[in-house]
Amino acid sequence: MFAIALACVVPFPVPSVPGEVRSISVAHAFATAETEEPGGAPERVRDVARGDLVLGVQSTPVAIVERAPTATLEPTPEPTIAPTPAPTPKPVLATLPPLPDPPTSGIVIASWYGPGFYGNRTACGQVYTPEIIGVAHRTLRCGTMLVLEYRGRTMTVPVIDRGPYIAGRTLDLSNATRLAIGCPDLCTLSMRIAQ
């Protein structure tokens, strides 16, 4: 394959008389019997898009057609302006009704909170860690001591944070409080303010 490609690109040596230099043009080398030798006057070509003569002199005149002015001019229609669309109203954020104040004593539902809050400050100013003992309540003052009872276990813990913000829940237990009292993720326990 390479030999064929090389034979097409490299010209074959032609035996010649010493001292004689022959030049061969590419067009002449590939000329066939059907093609004519170029010669004579160049062909006149007109650029149709512009009506200009590209080479030589224009041989036939080009007729220029002009429109005769009309007696009455049609009124130019005025551009129509699309009406401005009405602005899209801003979405109204649905506000939930405020949660009712949680009870301060009685049988309540408690959940727990932890991993996403570790290292943050509580509403009462302490750094929240997995070892901190306490609960979150929405309305009781910080430091209020609560007595919690669950399945025979009793603990007294302070209010250290605000929450929970889920309807029906009264307390959020810290992780250490949850483990000490034995509460699973959600539990029903007895709560009262310590005397």
Side-chain angles (χ1 to χ4, degrees):
M1 192 61 102
F2 177 72
I4 294 172
L6 185 63
C8 292
V9 175
V10 177
F12 292 105
V14 178
S16 61
V17 178
E20 179 184 337
V21 177
R22 294 179 61 190
S23 63
I24 299 175
S25 69
V26 175
H28 183 65
F30 290 103
T32 61
E34 295 88 30
T35 60
E36 298 177 8
E37 282 291 320
E43 183 182 341
R44 293 183 181 125
V45 179
R46 186 166 23 108
D47 187 355
V48 179
R50 294 188 328 194
D52 297 337
L53 189 63
V54 175
L55 181 61
V57 180
Q58 183 173 347
S59 60
T60 56
V62 177
I64 299 174
V65 179
E66 292 184 12
R67 291 187 170 194
T70 56
T72 59
L73 295 175
E74 295 177 11
T76 306
E78 293 190 24
T80 57
I81 299 173
T84 305
T88 306
K90 292 183 179 178
V92 177
L93 297 176
T95 56
L96 298 173
L99 294 172
D101 286 342
T104 56
S105 64
I107 305 296
V108 298
I109 296 176
S111 56
W112 74 282
Y113 70 117
F117 298 95
Y118 296 146
N120 295 337
R121 292 231 176 242
T122 66
C124 299
Q126 297 142 329
V127 175
Y128 190 70
T129 64
E131 297 82 25
I132 196 166
I133 298 285
V135 297
H137 191 278
R138 284 197 315 270
T139 57
L140 290 175
R141 296 176 55 144
C142 289
T144 302
M145 299 302 283
L146 298 176
V147 178
L148 307 178
E149 292 181 31
Y150 179 73
R151 292 190 178 176
R153 293 184 180 177
T154 304
M155 260 183 105
T156 303
V157 296
V159 173
I160 60 168
D161 208 352
R162 295 288 167 238
Y165 295 100
I166 297 174
R169 296 186 192 175
T170 304
L171 295 175
D172 258 345
L173 309 176
S174 69
N175 187 47
T177 305
R178 173 184 74 97
L179 294 174
I181 204 164
C183 179
D185 289 346
L186 199 60
C187 61
T188 304
L189 51 83
S190 172
M191 172 187 86
R192 64 183 162 82
I193 297 176
Q195 302 295 352

